[in-house]
């Protein structure tokens, strides 16, 4: 929705940015951003009807446009700022006493972004024809791209700080800043395409990391009432209830959210891996997973 907000600014200029705010400060969101959230939700909602068997087509499109948009934004920042320089972002160095805590925060934040993808893999990978269809792409596709994205973000932030004098922790703030300094037809067009690519990419992430895992679990718990598609639709409706814009009100809240997420998912993933590979040594009696018989191996 924040990327969609930038797209609307590129298209309508002050007619979009001058929308009067009718919401109280406690809402932590403006009328304009709420409208952007609603419009983006409205456009994305039909994707809730996308069954996991067909999601690969959407991700094929995402896999093409996202690297191009990311690389384009990265090159613009590096060229505008003539590189990251001495990596200065105008903040005080981390003290030695808190450096260990900072390292743990960084690690938790990174795994907070990766853990949903890792834990939720079976919801999608179960449609693969053989093991190598998932193992090799995941080995190549998870960690190296994540490192590249982090490096791109740091280099871009340091580079743009040299020319704009401000550090932007979120991509949409960076895109807005570029528009502020380059309000030209070419600048607006370029930023529109970058914002559109990230909006489309986020829609794919929402499906893969949020709606499908939620739907698979709900359908497994209540198969009499829910199919995967029905539960996905419910997830799309429930997204309003968690007021997600509050997570993005500032950088500290967002990083805290990502770090705390891995606190729950990390032990869960560890228990699953230890149970499957060490205790059961990969042996599971599949029929017993799908029975309510008290004599079933996994009835507990």
């Amino acid at each position: 929705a924040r990327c969609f907000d930038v797209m609307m600014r590129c298209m309508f200029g002050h007619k979009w940015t001058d929308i009067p705010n009718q919401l109280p400060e406690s809402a932590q969101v403006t009328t304009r951003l709420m409208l952007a959230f609603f419009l983006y939700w409205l456009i994305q909602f039909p994707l809730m009807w996308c069954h996991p068997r067909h999601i690969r087509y959407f991700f094929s499109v995402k896999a093409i446009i996202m690297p191009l948009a990311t690389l384009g934004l990265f090159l613009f920042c590096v060229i505008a700022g003539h590189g990251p320089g001495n990596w200065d972002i105008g903040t005080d160095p981390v003290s030695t006493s808190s450096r260990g805590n900072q390292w743990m925060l960084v690690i938790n934040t990174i795994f907070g972004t990766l853990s949903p993808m890792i834990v939720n893999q079976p919801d999608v990978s179960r449609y693969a024809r053989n093991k190598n269809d998932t193992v090799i792409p995941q080995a190549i596709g998870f960690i190296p791209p994540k490192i590249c994205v982090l490096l791109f973000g740091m280099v871009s932030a340091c580079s743009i700080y040299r020319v704009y004098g401000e550090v932007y922790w979120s991509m949409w703030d960076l895109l807005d800043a570029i528009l502020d300094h380059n309000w030209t037809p070419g600048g607006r067009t370029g930023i529109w395409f970058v914002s559109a690519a990230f909006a489309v990419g986020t829609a794919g992430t929402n499906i893969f990391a949020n709606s499908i895992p939620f739907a698979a679990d709900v359908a497994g718990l209540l198969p009499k009432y829910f199919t995967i598609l029905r539960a996905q639709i419910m997830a799309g409706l429930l997204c309003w209830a968690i007021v997600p814009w509050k997570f993005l009100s500032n950088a500290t809240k967002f990083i805290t959210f990502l770090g705390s997420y891995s606190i729950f998912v990390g032990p869960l993933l560890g228990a699953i891996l230890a149970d499957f590979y060490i205790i059961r040594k990969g042996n599971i009696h599949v029929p017993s997973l799908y029975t309510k018989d008290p004599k079933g191996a996994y009835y507990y």
Side-chain angles (χ1 to χ4, degrees):
R2 296 301 300 258
C3 293
F4 190 81
D5 172 63
V6 176
M7 293 169 58
M8 298 297 282
R9 181 188 175 190
C10 292
M11 295 168 63
F12 301 109
H14 69 88
K15 293 181 180 179
W16 174 258
T17 56
D18 291 346
I19 294 176
N21 181 36
Q22 305 293 336
L23 296 175
E25 187 176 346
S26 59
Q28 297 184 13
V29 66
T30 63
T31 301
R32 186 187 95 200
L33 291 177
M34 180 66 80
L35 178 59
F37 184 87
F38 171 72
L39 293 174
Y40 183 69
W41 174 84
L42 205 62
I43 295 171
Q44 182 189 249
F45 192 67
L47 294 175
M48 298 298 103
W49 275 265
C50 179
H51 194 275
R53 285 193 300 267
H54 309 302
I55 195 176
R56 66 182 183 274
Y57 303 115
F58 188 89
F59 268 80
S60 297
V61 175
K62 176 182 176 179
I64 295 172
I65 64 173
M66 287 297 293
L68 294 175
T70 305
L71 184 61
L73 181 61
F74 168 75
L75 291 176
F76 174 87
C77 294
V78 171
I79 293 172
H82 303 288
N86 60 356
W87 299 85
D88 178 35
I89 56 172
T91 58
D92 296 328
V94 177
S95 65
T96 305
S97 60
S98 64
R99 190 165 294 169
N101 292 332
Q102 291 292 329
W103 270 106
M104 291 305 300
L105 176 63
V106 169
I107 292 171
N108 276 336
T109 301
I110 294 173
F111 276 96
T113 63
L114 283 175
S115 52
M117 308 294 184
I118 298 173
V119 173
N120 298 329
Q121 273 298 314
D123 299 321
V124 178
S125 61
R126 64 194 180 99
Y127 295 101
R129 290 191 177 92
N130 60 70
K131 183 174 68 175
N132 291 332
D133 287 345
T134 61
V135 173
I136 296 176
Q138 288 181 65
I140 299 173
F142 267 133
I143 303 300
K146 175 60 68 174
I147 295 173
C148 290
V149 168
L150 293 172
L151 287 174
F152 276 24
M154 288 186 287
V155 172
S156 299
C158 294
S159 299
I160 218 69
Y161 175 71
R162 300 181 70 190
V163 62
Y164 292 167
E166 190 168 347
V167 178
Y168 300 97
W169 75 271
S170 64
M171 191 199 61
W172 45 86
D173 288 336
L174 172 60
L175 295 176
D176 273 328
I178 294 174
L179 285 176
D180 291 338
H181 292 82
N182 300 273
W183 189 255
T184 63
R188 292 166 67 180
T189 302
I191 294 300
W192 188 92
F193 277 111
V194 171
S195 302
F198 275 91
V200 171
T202 303
T205 302
N206 283 342
I207 297 171
F208 175 76
N210 298 324
S211 66
I212 288 180
F214 173 86
D217 292 339
V218 171
L221 290 171
L222 303 169
K224 183 177 180 180
Y225 304 101
F226 286 98
T227 63
I228 288 181
L229 293 185
R230 287 179 187 173
Q232 279 184 243
I233 294 170
M234 186 173 75
L237 295 172
L238 285 176
C239 74
W240 289 89
I242 65 169
V243 289
W245 48 85
K246 294 202 172 190
F247 294 128
L248 301 177
S249 58
N250 59 61
T252 303
K253 280 188 177 181
F254 186 60
I255 292 175
T256 301
F257 165 72
L258 290 177
S260 61
Y261 188 88
S262 60
I263 291 175
F264 294 99
V265 179
L268 174 64
L269 178 61
I272 292 173
L273 294 176
D275 177 73
F276 183 76
Y277 287 106
I278 299 176
I279 297 177
R280 305 187 189 282
K281 302 188 187 309
N283 297 311
I284 289 181
H285 186 247
V286 177
S288 295
L289 295 172
Y290 300 92
T291 177
K292 294 180 180 180
D293 188 347
K295 297 181 181 179
Y298 312 114
Y299 179 72
Y300 59 90

